[in-house]
Every structure is written in C-alpha cells, then in structure tokens.
Amino acid sequence: MQVPAQFEYERATSVEHAIALLQRHGPESRVVAGGHSLIPMMKLRIANPETLIDINDLDELTTIRLEGGELRLGAMVRHAALLDSAVVGEHFAIFHDAERVIADPVVRNRGTVGGSLCQADPSEDLSAAFTAVGAVAVIQGPDGTREVPVREFHTGPYQTVVGDAELLVEIRVPIRPGGGSAYVKVERRVGDWSVTAAGAALWLDGETVTDVGIGLTAVGAEHFAAPEAEQYLRGRPATEESYAEAGRLAAEHCNPTADQRGPVDYKRHLAGELTVRALRRATARARGEAIEGA
Amino acid sequence: MTTTEDARTGVADTGVASTEVAASTPMGYGSMRRKEDARFIRGQGHYLDDIVIPGMLHSAILRSPLAHARILSIDTSAAEAHPKVKAVITGETLAGLGLAWMPTLSHDVQAVLATDKVRFQGQEVAFVVAEDRYAARDALGLIEVEYEPLDPVIDAKHALDPEAPVIRDDLEGRTDNHLFDWEAGDSAATDAIFASADVVSECDMLYPRSHPAPMETCGSIASMDKVTGKLTVHTTTQAPHAHRTVYAMVAGLPEHKIQIIAPDIGGGFGNKVGIYPGYVCAVVGSIVTGKPVKWVEDRSENLMSTSFARDYHMHGEIAATKDGKLLGVRVKVLADHGAFNGTAQPSKMPAGLFHVFSGSYDMAAAHCAVTGVYTNKSPGGVAYACSFRITEAVYLIERLVDVLARDQGWDPAELRMKNLLRSEQFPYTTALGWEYDSGDYPATFQKALDIAGYDELRAEQREKRARGELMGIGISFFTEAVGAGPRKTMDILGLGMADGAELRIHPTGKAVLRLSCMTQGQGHETTFAQIVAEELGISPDDIEVVQGDTDQTPFGLGTYGSRSTPVSGAAAAMVARKVRERARIVAAAMLEVSADDLEWEKGGFHVKGDPSAARTMTEIAMAAHSDLELPDGVEGHLDATCVYNPPNLTYPCGAYICVVDVDGGTGQVKVRRFVAVDDCGVRINPMIVEGQVHGGLADGIGMALMEVMAFDPDGNHLGASFMDYLLPTSMECPSWELGETVTPSPHHPIGAKGVGESATVGSPPAVVNAVLDAIGVRHADMPLTPAHVWRAMQGRPLRTDLAIG
Amino acid sequence: MQITVTVNGIEHTRDVEPRLLLVHFLRDSLELTGTHWGCDTSNCGACVIWLDGAPAKSCTVLAVMADGRAVRTVEGLETAAGLDPIQQAFSDKHGLQCGFCTPGMMMTCRALLDENPDPSEHEIREAISGQICRCTGYENIVRSVKAAAAVESGAMQSSAAQQGVTA
C-alpha cells in the first residue's frame, strides 16, 4: 500500500491556535481537515508537508447558520452535514444538488466544505456552486479576518489567496428572495470527478431574470465563472431562447482541456448543455415548481 | 467410464430459480448458506496481508517511470544505508543467481528485475527488503536510476511498422515486434462461402485492454528454511500446484521442498494465475536475508504490471443469405501482448480458445488469423474471467450479428433465433472443430425474450423515438467453452489439465475432501461438500474441504477458465463414487451378503428387496476401520483418490438482454434492465450460481461503459489507480433479472458445466448493442463513456486505447 | 507519538509514527485484520470503519487523527447476544463471495440501518456507492440489507408488542 513520507503532527485546539501553529511551522506546513484530497497526495508523495496541522477539533467551524441575511457555513462543515441541512436546502438547493454528486457518502462524512475550496482542484464541485451564488470566503490570519469573494478566491489550479499563516474559516452566502439554484454534473461514473458541471443561481421578477450567477466546473473557466453568459441573461426573459444563448456563451468562453474524461469539443458542448439545464432547473425552483428527481 | 449415470436428462424449465436458502442443510444439491461465510462475516477471513510470520520483513518494488528506456546505471547505496533496510536487490543481483529472467506461461521469458532495458511503465527495476512496509517504501526514493529514454511502441497498429523500435532486443536475432501468426478454421472454404454469399457485413472493433482488478491485490510471503532447505510461500494464487512446479523450474529448487499455501483470496478473476516478479523477488529476499519476506503490491502496481486482459483489435466479417441464414464468419486479429508474452492459457493455443468465435450459430465455415505483437505495455492478456479469450470471441460474433441485422434492416432477435443451433443438432461440431456437448439454445433465448418482454420493449422504443428519447435494446447469445481440458490437447507449461481429488471418510462417518483447485470466492468449501453429499448422503456440514496447500492436496491445475466444477467437481464426484463402491463391499461384509445384492439409497446400502437390512454410511465407515473381516484383496478404511481427465470441454450458454436509456444531450447511459438466462447444466448450489452470474453481469457494465487502460504517446498508463480505472458501483448496476434453463452436460459425471465466467463473457456485447441501438450508430468501441457516446453520435468515435486528444 | 483510540469499546494506547494510516494501526498494531484495504485513493471502501459513529475510509485517515476518538470495526459487530442482523443477512442472502469488501460493506450498511430502518433499494445502493464489490454485482448486498431491515423491524414490532402486553 502507498504510504506517506514522514512529517510532524500538530492538533489545533482553536482557530487562533491553528494560525499560531501555521506561523510557527511556516510554509512547509499544511492544514488537514477531512484529508481526502491531501492524504492520497501524500501517499503518492506529490504532497510532502513537513508538518500537518489537524483542525478536526475546531468545532466552532462546524456550524451552519442564518445570520445577517446570509447563510454562513463553517469551513469544517462536512459534506454530509451540508447535504443533510434542511436550511441549506431551503435557501440553496444548488448545494444539495452538488453534494449529492461529490465523491461518495462515506467520503462525504469526512470531507469538508473548506477543504474542498482550499484544495482548489479544477474539477471540484463546490467552487462553481459558491461562484454561482456569489459566496464570500472569510479568511482568518494573525492580524484578524478578511473577506474575499469566492470569485477572487482561486488564483489557479490548486492555488488560492489563503496565505501561509491563514485559515479559511467561513463561507457566507447572501440570501435574496425570488431566487432558485441548481447544479448539474456529468460524470463517467458515480463518485468520479466532473467531466463537466454547471451551477446556476437565478433571481426572477415575473418572467425577467433580474440577476444570475453561473459556475462551471472542470472546463478551465476563470474563477469557475461564466461572466459573459451571466451578463447576457441579466434583464432578459427567462426563456429557453435566452438560456440557449447563455449556454452558447458559457461554452464559447470556457477553456477546457482534453483528458480521459473527454475531448475538448465534448466538454465545451457540455458546458453549454449543462448551463442550460442548470438554468432551467434553477428557474423552476425560483418559480416554486416541482422538479423531477429533485 | 460411465459418465452419464447420474446426469439429469432433457431440458428442465425450472422457472426463476429459488435461491432462498433451505432452513436445514440439504443432503446434496440445493441453495444453502456458504460454510466459509462464518469467518468472512466476522472479519475473520485470513488473507495474505493478514498473515504475520515471526521475524517477517517487508518489501517494495521500484518501478520504471518510463515505457521504454535503456538502464544506464542503478545506484542503491543510499537505500542500502537506510537503517531499516536489510537488502536491495537489482537485476544485476538476480543475474548472478541466474534469476534475472523467468519463463512465462507462453513460451517466452520475462524480466524479473530489468537488467538491460525497461519495456513498460511500471516494470520492476529494484526490490527493497526492510524492517517495515513504510521504511521499504521510503527506501525506493533513495535509489537512483539513470535511464536513456527510447521511443516506445504504444499503438499496436504500428508495432510492425518497419521503423518501429525493436522492443525485445534481448532475444537472439529479433529484428521486429512480431510475436506470432496463428490461424484456425478453413480459410479456402470460408473465402468460397463469402464469395458466393448474398450479403456480407464487416466491422472493425477493439476489445480494449482491461484489468481484472480483484479487491485484494497480489502478494506473497516467502520463507526459506535454511536448515531444511524448504521454501514455504504463502501467496495469492488461483493455481497452487502450478505455482509450485513453476517455482521449481524457475529457481531450480527441488519441488518436494516447496510448499505453496494459498490463504483466503480476495477475488482472482485470472489476476492470480501468473507468477509475478514480486513473488520471485520475495523468494530471493528470503534467501538473502534468512527471514520471511512479505511482498504486497499496491493498487497502482496491480493495475500497471499484472495480468491485463483482452487488447484485441479485430476486423470481423459475417456472411449470410438474403433471407437471413448465417453462412460464415472470418476475422483478422491484431493481438497486443505487451512487452513479454505472458498469456496464461493452454500452451498450444496462442489465442486461447478465441476460435469458438462462430458462437451459437449453425455456420458452414469460419476462419481466423491472429497476429500477436509486442508493445511497450505490461504483459498478460488472458485474465478477467475471459475463459481464455472467449470474451473477445463472443463480443466479435455478437457485434457482427447486430451489425449485419442493422445493415439489412433485420430484427436482431429474429436473426439470432433463426440461426441458433437447435437441440437436435447436439453434439454439434463447429466449423472450427469444437464439439459442443449439449444445449437447447432457442428455448434459452425464448425464455430471455419472454422475461424481457421483447416485443413490448420494441413498442416502447418506437414510442420513445417518436418523442426524441433514446432507448436501446441489446441482445447477446453466447456459448462458453469451459473445463480445460482434455490432457491430449490442453496443457499449461507441459502439465496436462487433469485434476486430482482425494476423499477420506473418518471412522465416525465425517469426511475430508482434498482438492487441487482453489477458491477465490466461488464457495468451494460449500459446493464441493455438496457434490460429495449428493453422492454419499453425508451432510455437507460433515465434509471438510481442503484446498490451497500443496502439502495437503493432490496435484491439479487450479481455478480459472471456469474449470473448477467441470474438472475438479467431476473429480470430486468420481472419487465419491469410488468410495461408495468400497462402502458397498464393506456393507456386504457387514450384512453377510454379496455386494451385488445391495442397493444404494442416498446415505447407505440395503439388501435388494429388504430395506430393513441396511447399513448407513456412518455405520459402514466405522466398520471399515474396525475388526470386521473384509474379503481378500479389500483394504480397510474408507478412502479413495482419483484423477479426472475431462473427455471434452463443457459448453454453457446464455441469452442476455440489456435495456438502456441514453441522454442524447450528454451521452450518459443508464442501464435500466438486464435479463440474463443462463444454462450451465445441473446447478449444485443455485444460490451460488446466481451470485456468480450477478458478478459477471457487473463486469459487463464495467467493460462496456467505463473500464479501460489507455496509454498516451509516451506510454504512460492512463488507468493506473481506481480514480482512473473505473469499476462499476451499485449505482450503475440495475437489479439483475435472472432465469435459467438446465441442459446437463452428457459427458460430465454430474451434468454440470461451469458458470464462473459466463456472465463476464456474455454481457459486454449486450450492453454495447443496447447503447448503439439507442443512438443509432453502427459501431463504436468500448468503453462507451459519456464522451464516447456523444462523439459516436457525432459520427466521430474515439480510439479508446489511446489518450483522448 | 502516543495515541489512545477506543476501538470496539476498548481503549488502546500505542506509540505510533504520525504518518501511520488508521487502517495499518488497526491491522498491524491492534491485529484487527478484518478491516481490509484495496486501493490507495479512497475509492474502493474495503477499509470502511466507523469513526466517532460515522463510516469513514480508514486508508485516508491518520491514526493520530483518531487519537481520543472512537472506532468501530467489523470485529465489533458481533456481541454477546450473537451476530448483528446485518452479518446474518449477508450470509443468508449470499451478500458476499470472496469476502474482501464485506467488512466495509457491512459497516456502511449497519450505519445506514441505524439511521434509516427501512431504506429503499435506491437508498441502499446510494449508501454503498463508494465501495466496490467485484463479486456480487451488488444485487445480493442490496437483498441482504433489506433482509436485515425486515428482521430488525420485526424484532422491533415484537418487542413493542411485548411491551404492550406488559404495560
């Protein structure tokens, strides 16, 4: 069996302690939450941290709550908890859609929301979902906290704005009335990473799209977003024609690469197709319509 | 030999088999709980990596990152300096012992540790022995290997190009990558039939490289006792006795000083037939260190280096009359054997049993020409429940029949029904020389059509098509050929494929049956006890089945190719009958009558016409060991041995129907239904038989829709972990709908045929045919991933064996 | 470093390297070899145990991360009262063949039934979707879970009926 190289282990007892440990151990230290991305990489010896800082005791980061007109998710909220949360489902069905297709139920018991965002895998699902809903990441460092829109959180594949001595502590999602959201993914098999996926959050005033967010997974979309499609849709009627054009724009402006999950043309096609499907589904939800399979 | 005395005759339409276990243990055949489950459900199975031997060391293998490269130097000094490392072994070390190369099961040699070149990514380069498994892994990073990269041969279609690099320059006089040419069937007769046929359809198809991927990877613990000179090897082997003989031949050790012990095995599917370099290295490691050495591969090593399966590029043609009578089939195959020819199959058959490809149909002529080539990929080729390449054969013919039906606008079910062999044609000798033993194919097929509701499905499909929805119905009818095999035609490394069995009844009437075959989950401890129980009337609960330990069991070739029941199962029945005849003599002595006056009734003998003058097996067993006076020349005790040399293979068959829905916008396939009607002759334990079928059907979903080992132009393996080599989960598998017909084998002592691989063999074409039916595409290769389905719908299918560009 | 893990109700204290995987801690340090491993990437689920009451893949958890926590393994399913119904059902319904995935499957299915005493076929399939079985095609695993659910609901009803009588 593959096994990790040697490292030191520290267990943080509070957010402040975790940050102090990060400061003490420097850039060769890594935070471990669920560990389901990091530990396999350590076994392959692609990741070789000198120190691992375990934040699984930080219960203060496991809450899901409504506050200040926002849905606030602690960074240590497990995928399973997000999926189980009725309040999450009530306000942002997109997260339940996404969580149902992230890895598998056992992995979801361990993996965390914050861990997924910080791993910043281009095929990871929550980044696009948070992008669609306009979420904000709360990052804490030695000098206090700062807020970064999720659309500015990723600086490239596997890279984020979180500094060496910083910790992602919370994700905040503004709640606005009149909206609906959805996430649609194509995978080669249950539990696989996305071939392509699209998330949409959309707000209606009558039959008009007043605002929309579109997130794209695994197609090289900058910040997981489809701004051209979003811009096109704002103020337009919530119709198939509008969505088709939005899908076309999303497909046109993403930048997929070929791999064993599919060739470029297929992924680009999916970016459009799934954008349309996510918009359709989000619209139905905004209108309070029942959705098949939801 | 009277082989049919107990065989049931005629086709029994038994309906959907009852797999509910009986409340009490049946005295013979029937569904019963498996005896082995008691330990497995408690986590008390004893698998290779569970075994700890005092003083045992651990090991790890350094593997080549490159597909083709010359080794310039290997520096092991830093690894050797690691405080926990006990030995570092390289090809050079082995060369000094004459062990750098070992014979394969197919007349070739394979590097144990590379000395001159590496020839595939993942090839074994160095072997580290250390105090614990973590240290052994650490030390791999301390070994420096300098490589000179060479151009690799990745696409089999270019392996024979004049400018292709020569992979096997280790072989004297070799100037290209050509491995063999082999033919079967009558070429001229087949060509003549094609020349005069009304219609001919042809199709290029690839059965891509896949992997058996049992849940437990391969491993061994070698322990050389310096004092006695005895080598004990605990190892994940499906063929313990074959392994012992090969160890003797490879290492030059005396065979009586080698003990192979196969513990519980976590799935095999052909992955655990071959001898891998790691096994040999563990032996050398034990000799060098004087300690037991455990080697267990990780999942990537398993996928990258051990026994791949398939990899057949086929060009098939099928000929028919204009009214749909099949006339002949011919095929040219380009077989990618990887860097060493390590196929595990009967030695005289370089394409295994592929030449049953005329399938289940009455055809006048057939011919195949197979060309084997070397490429810079791992060796293997015959594994994954393939029945020695009948997977490829069935895929070929069942795709061709569908292609022909499509080309001519015929219904694929009608075309099959019209051409299936009829029961009165058996025994039927095919155009390729096989003598099919028995079957009632139309009855088996009709049953599948009925369960599926074929006509209703076609009606539903028409309605859906009208609405723009994509639904497909795929059919496969297969004939398997299992139970290798007759000694005169089939051998492994010169060892005839007969199996021994030993049965001993203890004085108290309990029994021990010793077998040469080795379960990997098939439930031998139960099934084989039931075979003896049926013959002797001793409860299966009172019969211990011993397998896996070469010091405790008779010689035989092992469990693969669905051969356990056809060969060892026959041996078990025959040895039980021998015991029964001995028991008759003992009973006669007890009752003071002539043996001829006794009549057998399951569980004992009684005097003909006087059921009260009877002796049970328990009484007979005690008497056989007592002071009872026996006739002259009759030994005491109650035991027997036998070796069963099968007169022919057995030929199970099955009809499979798959129903899929395809999302045309994304290419995603949902297998909605799967109907499988199997005829494997007499079923010993119907519950176990159905379980075997279930597993194979999942394989078909896997191969048809997701499993593939592709390679990029540099020879990088693109399916080297379970993130990349996708196996079907519970979500891709529908609830299987099974049915059965029972046509006993006329030549098998109990009429059983073997079933272990039937569903793996038969199911892939049903799934592929269904998907292609749904999307209206003539052909696209496996696996039909969403991307590939979408591309096929665009008329631009993918080369699934290469990296997607 | 020294860790204390409660496994199947018993505290175990051992000195371990921080990098030791929980699956190796269970198998090698505690000799609880019922928990298997089948891949390196948390895809196969042969190593599923419970960590603080929830199924987890022990090949992707460090032993030190389990310090102070509770683990339950397949060896903890059977009690003095006998086999867990899920164990009996796997045997009754032929929910296993080679037995290698079985401990992990049973741990997940036990957790499912604790949370959802009457799961649908789809819910069962979803629950085990992160675990590979190469032998059964999953059919009989699903049947096993349904059988265990039926047994447990029958036991609950009869115990409720008994309480009704005594009350």
Side-chain angles (χ1 to χ4, degrees):
Chain A
M1 190 171 180
Q2 294 163 8
V3 297
Q6 288 172 320
F7 53 83
E8 298 293 318
Y9 173 83
E10 299 272 11
R11 193 184 279 194
T13 53
S14 67
V15 171
E16 291 71 23
H17 184 217
I19 291 165
L21 287 169
L22 283 166
Q23 277 184 292
R24 190 193 312 157
H25 293 285
E28 295 307 312
S29 60
R30 287 285 297 268
V31 166
V32 64
H36 276 61
S37 296
L38 180 58
I39 291 173
M41 288 174 78
M42 289 168 64
K43 288 194 217 172
L44 286 167
R45 308 207 173 184
I46 296 168
N48 294 291
E50 288 174 5
T51 307
L52 214 52
I53 298 166
D54 182 353
I55 60 168
N56 279 281
D57 277 356
L58 304 191
D59 289 341
E60 68 258 46
L61 300 187
T62 61
T63 55
I64 296 173
R65 64 189 199 280
L66 293 176
E67 194 176 313
E70 293 174 325
L71 174 68
R72 297 187 174 184
L73 307 171
M76 284 299 294
V77 168
R78 310 272 176 194
H79 292 302
L82 192 63
L83 182 55
D84 280 349
S85 166
V87 70
V88 168
E90 181 190 338
H91 292 284
F92 295 102
I94 187 173
F95 295 136
H96 281 189
D97 287 350
E99 285 294 356
R100 270 189 207 101
V101 293
I102 290 176
D104 62 68
V106 178
V107 168
R108 292 199 291 264
N109 284 340
R110 294 292 299 165
T112 65
V113 168
S116 288
L117 269 186
C118 290
Q119 184 66 23
D121 189 305
S123 302
E124 189 279 315
D125 295 290
L126 283 184
S127 297
F130 284 126
T131 293
V133 298
V136 172
V138 181
I139 300 165
Q140 189 167 337
D143 305 322
T145 61
R146 62 188 177 113
E147 295 191 3
V148 177
V150 166
R151 289 189 183 221
E152 295 165 21
F153 185 80
H154 301 95
T155 53
Y158 306 99
Q159 291 181 325
T160 72
V161 297
V162 180
D164 286 341
E166 287 186 320
L167 194 66
L168 172 68
V169 292
E170 193 170 71
I171 298 102
R172 296 177 179 172
V173 192
I175 296 172
R176 287 181 283 155
S181 62
Y183 189 77
V184 187
K185 169 173 168 173
V186 168
E187 52 194 357
R188 292 178 298 180
R189 188 207 66 189
V190 163
D192 190 23
W193 298 93
S194 284
V195 178
T196 300
L202 153 151
W203 289 264
L204 296 177
D205 181 0
E207 286 307 302
T208 304
V209 177
T210 55
D211 197 9
V212 63
I214 297 172
L216 294 174
T217 302
V219 285
E222 203 175 350
H223 299 301
F224 297 89
E228 297 83 3
E230 292 167 347
Q231 198 179 337
Y232 168 82
L233 270 183
R234 287 192 190 102
R236 300 223 178 234
T239 59
E240 280 294 314
E241 293 70 30
S242 305
Y243 295 167
E245 179 60 11
R248 196 192 62 74
L249 286 165
E252 181 184 327
H253 290 280
C254 69
N255 188 26
T257 52
D259 58 20
Q260 290 311 95
R261 292 190 175 81
V264 168
D265 58 351
Y266 173 63
K267 292 185 179 183
R268 196 181 290 286
H269 161 78
L270 281 185
E273 175 72 24
L274 299 184
T275 294
V276 171
R277 292 187 186 193
L279 286 166
R280 234 180 244 156
R281 205 172 167 92
T283 303
R285 282 177 172 149
R287 289 174 177 154
E289 295 167 3
I291 292 177
E292 196 185 332
Chain B
M1 185 174 64
T2 53
T3 53
T4 56
E5 65 177 60
D6 280 13
R8 286 91 178 114
T9 50
V11 175
D13 184 353
T14 56
V16 174
S18 167
T19 56
E20 290 298 312
V21 295
S24 59
T25 303
M27 190 62 81
Y29 303 160
S31 291
M32 68 174 271
R33 281 183 205 90
R34 301 196 320 165
K35 299 167 69 171
E36 41 273 85
D37 289 352
R39 62 181 186 276
F40 292 138
I41 57 172
R42 289 174 171 85
Q44 300 297 320
H46 206 47
Y47 301 90
L48 189 276
D49 201 25
D50 301 343
I51 297 170
V52 176
I53 296 175
M56 185 177 81
L57 300 172
H58 296 263
S59 65
I61 291 178
L62 181 73
R63 292 174 183 275
S64 168
L66 302 172
H68 199 193
R70 196 164 301 286
I71 295 174
L72 301 179
S73 66
I74 304 178
D75 182 355
T76 60
S77 54
E80 282 164 0
H82 188 292
K84 288 187 169 180
V85 168
K86 298 297 179 188
V88 181
I89 294 163
T90 63
E92 201 177 340
T93 325
L94 295 182
L97 301 166
L99 290 174
W101 295 81
M102 63 177 181
T104 70
L105 296 176
S106 286
H107 317 289
D108 196 358
V109 292
Q110 170 178 3
V112 177
L113 292 175
T115 49
D116 54 341
K117 292 199 306 189
V118 289
R119 293 175 170 84
F120 64 92
Q121 188 188 45
Q123 188 180 338
E124 300 79 1
V125 174
F127 186 77
V128 173
V129 183
E131 285 173 20
D132 65 64
R133 57 178 111 229
Y134 284 58
R137 287 266 162 181
D138 290 345
L140 298 183
L142 301 174
I143 299 172
E144 297 281 342
V145 184
E146 199 184 343
Y147 294 103
E148 177 197 340
L150 303 169
D151 287 338
V153 178
I154 298 308
D155 185 347
K157 293 183 174 182
H158 294 295
L160 299 180
D161 288 354
E163 66 277 15
V166 178
I167 297 165
R168 294 301 300 280
D169 47 357
D170 58 295
L171 299 173
E172 187 86 25
R174 181 157 286 280
T175 57
D176 60 23
N177 299 313
H178 181 260
L179 180 51
F180 64 81
D181 285 315
W182 180 81
E183 290 181 53
D186 186 332
S187 176
T190 309
D191 289 350
I193 276 189
F194 271 80
S196 62
D198 299 334
V199 293
V200 171
S201 282
E202 57 75 39
C203 188
D204 281 304
M205 61 185 92
L206 165 69
Y207 207 132
R209 185 171 273 238
S210 59
H211 198 282
M215 292 310 296
E216 179 201 36
T217 61
C218 301
S220 73
I221 306 167
S223 186
M224 172 61 94
D225 186 320
K226 275 188 179 164
V227 177
T228 63
K230 181 158 184 172
L231 172 68
T232 304
V233 185
H234 291 80
T235 188
T236 52
T237 177
Q238 301 176 217
H241 290 277
H243 271 217
R244 178 169 63 180
T245 303
V246 174
Y247 277 103
M249 290 161 67
V250 171
L253 296 167
E255 197 165 356
H256 68 296
K257 292 287 191 185
I258 303 171
Q259 181 182 13
I260 305 292
I261 303 172
D264 285 328
I265 295 182
F269 318 111
N271 194 188
K272 292 166 181 170
V273 173
I275 300 235
Y276 298 120
Y279 299 169
V280 178
C281 289
V283 172
V284 175
S286 180
I287 292 170
V288 168
T289 61
K291 304 276 190 186
V293 172
K294 177 188 275 187
W295 172 71
V296 182
E297 62 185 3
D298 67 31
R299 180 54 64 187
S300 293
E301 294 179 289
N302 176 253
L303 291 166
M304 290 175 81
S305 70
T306 59
S307 73
F308 79 92
R310 329 280 194 256
D311 218 341
Y312 260 31
H313 298 258
M314 301 181 278
H315 175 78
E317 296 171 275
I318 190 164
T321 64
K322 61 181 183 312
D323 52 358
K325 166 82 185 93
L326 298 181
L327 299 172
V329 56
R330 63 185 173 193
V331 55
K332 284 192 166 58
V333 179
L334 178 66
D336 184 338
H337 280 240
F340 308 102
N341 188 18
T343 51
Q345 67 204 356
S347 304
K348 300 181 187 86
M349 302 176 170
L353 311 189
F354 177 74
H355 50 307
V356 297
F357 64 87
S358 60
S360 314
Y361 310 105
D362 188 13
M363 273 196 250
H367 178 259
C368 70
V370 183
T371 297
V373 296
Y374 288 120
T375 60
N376 286 113
K377 302 177 192 173
S378 64
V382 170
Y384 203 170
C386 74
S387 267
F388 302 123
R389 296 209 190 269
I390 298 178
T391 40
E392 291 94 318
V394 168
Y395 183 72
L396 173 88
I397 186 68
E398 291 306 296
R399 269 281 52 238
L400 281 178
V401 168
D402 254 40
V403 165
L404 174 68
R406 177 192 156 87
D407 288 351
Q408 299 301 323
W410 295 331
D411 180 274
E414 279 176 34
L415 179 59
R416 284 180 173 83
M417 189 60 95
K418 183 180 287 189
N419 288 281
L420 284 174
L421 292 168
R422 298 180 314 280
S423 59
E424 64 271 20
Q425 291 176 279
F426 291 89
Y428 174 86
T429 301
T430 74
L432 293 149
W434 301 93
E435 188 188 297
Y436 292 1
D437 57 350
S438 64
D440 186 346
Y441 294 1
T444 305
F445 189 35
Q446 189 59 50
K447 184 151 198 177
L449 294 171
D450 292 346
I451 294 174
Y454 184 73
D455 294 337
E456 294 81 354
L457 286 170
R458 284 290 177 206
E460 180 189 351
Q461 183 184 40
R462 280 191 295 276
E463 285 168 29
K464 289 208 156 144
R465 278 197 181 143
R467 293 202 298 269
E469 294 172 32
L470 304 179
M471 167 189 167
I473 303 152
I475 301 168
S476 163
F477 195 104
F478 67 90
T479 297
E480 258 272 64
V482 304
R487 287 180 62 212
K488 66 175 186 287
T489 53
M490 295 190 183
D491 71 279
I492 301 279
L493 273 185
L495 305 168
M497 299 186 80
D499 281 2
E502 298 173 5
L503 178 63
R504 169 165 170 65
I505 315 296
H506 301 303
T508 55
K510 314 297 184 191
V512 56
L513 174 70
R514 299 172 191 278
L515 297 171
S516 61
C517 59
M518 178 61 207
T519 184
Q520 312 120 47
Q522 295 93 335
H524 288 180
E525 285 166 57
T526 307
T527 303
F528 282 83
Q530 289 183 270
I531 293 173
V532 172
E534 180 75 23
E535 299 296 334
L536 294 182
I538 298 172
S539 169
D541 292 337
D542 293 336
I543 301 165
E544 185 74 6
V545 174
V546 178
Q547 55 185 336
D549 182 340
T550 53
D551 276 9
Q552 301 290 333
T553 55
F555 187 84
L557 270 283
T559 293
Y560 44 84
S562 302
R563 67 187 298 280
S564 292
T565 297
V567 188
S568 277
M574 296 308 281
V575 80
R577 289 173 192 176
K578 276 189 171 181
V579 164
R580 195 166 71 200
E581 288 315 299
R582 175 92 69 83
R584 178 191 294 272
I585 296 167
V586 176
M590 294 169 81
L591 291 162
E592 297 179 339
V593 296
S594 160
D596 296 338
D597 292 337
L598 292 178
E599 198 163 79
W600 171 256
E601 195 175 321
K602 197 190 271 188
F605 284 99
H606 62 82
V607 176
K608 283 178 188 165
D610 180 9
S612 66
R615 290 293 181 270
T616 66
M617 275 303 290
T618 307
E619 291 165 339
I620 296 167
M622 184 57 83
H625 291 80
S626 72
D627 58 359
L628 175 72
E629 199 167 322
L630 294 168
D632 284 349
V634 177
E635 299 169 350
H637 302 178
L638 201 48
D639 53 19
T641 67
C642 92
V643 176
Y644 185 79
N645 175 31
N648 187 7
L649 301 178
T650 64
Y651 294 85
C653 69
Y656 291 176
I657 299 176
C658 177
V659 183
V660 303
D661 296 302
V662 177
D663 182 331
T666 63
Q668 288 170 294
V669 174
K670 174 79 186 164
V671 178
R672 192 206 310 171
R673 290 182 65 195
F674 202 111
V675 172
V677 176
D678 273 87
D679 189 332
C680 58
V682 172
R683 296 185 174 204
I684 299 156
N685 185 324
M687 176 191 84
I688 287 179
V689 170
E690 291 211 354
Q692 294 288 298
V693 174
H694 289 160
L697 296 178
D699 290 343
I701 302 281
M703 277 176 280
L705 301 183
M706 62 192 80
E707 294 180 42
V708 67
M709 302 202 302
F711 292 80
D712 76 7
D714 294 328
N716 292 309
H717 192 302
L718 302 178
S721 78
F722 277 172
M723 281 191 289
D724 307 300
Y725 189 76
L726 299 180
L727 297 165
T729 77
S730 51
M731 300 297 279
E732 288 76 38
C733 295
S735 183
W736 315 111
E737 301 170 60
L738 304 195
E740 68 172 75
T741 57
V742 177
T743 317
S745 170
H747 65 75
H748 188 275
I750 60 174
K753 288 187 170 182
V755 74
E757 298 163 315
S758 282
T760 311
V761 165
S763 57
V767 182
V768 171
N769 287 343
V771 174
L772 297 177
D773 181 50
I775 64 177
V777 167
R778 190 171 183 269
H779 180 73
D781 289 326
M782 298 184 282
L784 292 162
T785 60
H788 194 198
V789 170
W790 184 79
R791 281 288 289 264
M793 290 173 72
Q794 314 263 312
R796 296 178 295 130
L798 298 166
R799 266 290 290 271
T800 54
D801 56 333
L802 304 178
I804 294 176
Chain C
M1 60 183 286
Q2 194 177 74
I3 61 170
T4 299
V5 185
T6 302
V7 181
N8 301 328
I10 300 168
E11 273 194 9
H12 296 272
T13 301
R14 294 286 189 282
D15 254 327
V16 301
E17 275 193 285
R19 63 171 169 165
L20 184 71
L21 300 169
L22 180 57
V23 67
H24 285 146
F25 176 74
L26 296 170
R27 290 175 50 80
D28 298 347
S29 307
L30 304 187
E31 298 177 14
L32 294 170
T33 54
T35 301
H36 304 140
W37 63 268
C39 73
D40 301 283
T41 46
S42 79
N43 292 99
C44 84
C47 64
V48 170
I49 49 91
W50 289 11
L51 183 58
D52 281 346
K57 293 184 174 176
S58 63
C59 77
T60 311
V61 177
L62 301 168
V64 289
M65 293 169 79
D67 184 21
R69 304 190 197 280
V71 167
R72 190 182 185 196
T73 70
V74 65
E75 289 90 347
L77 282 179
E78 188 176 12
T79 64
L83 290 174
D84 188 283
I86 197 74
Q87 291 174 297
Q88 188 60 54
F90 265 69
S91 177
D92 290 346
K93 296 294 170 187
H94 194 30
L96 68 153
Q97 290 179 30
C98 80
F100 203 77
C101 76
T102 312
M105 286 287 183
M106 291 193 304
M107 295 312 290
T108 298
C109 295
R110 180 66 266 161
L112 170 69
L113 290 176
D114 286 351
E115 199 168 291
N116 179 357
D118 186 23
S120 67
E121 177 180 341
H122 182 78
E123 287 169 329
I124 296 166
R125 288 182 181 274
E126 198 159 50
I128 60 171
S129 63
Q131 289 164 257
I132 304 291
C133 173
R134 301 289 287 138
C135 299
T136 65
Y138 306 102
E139 180 80 25
N140 287 347
I141 295 177
V142 173
R143 290 182 192 169
S144 300
V145 178
K146 287 198 158 178
V151 165
E152 290 178 2
S153 89
M156 272 172 60
Q157 277 166 11
S158 74
S159 107
Q162 272 178 357
Q163 282 174 358
V165 171
T166 52

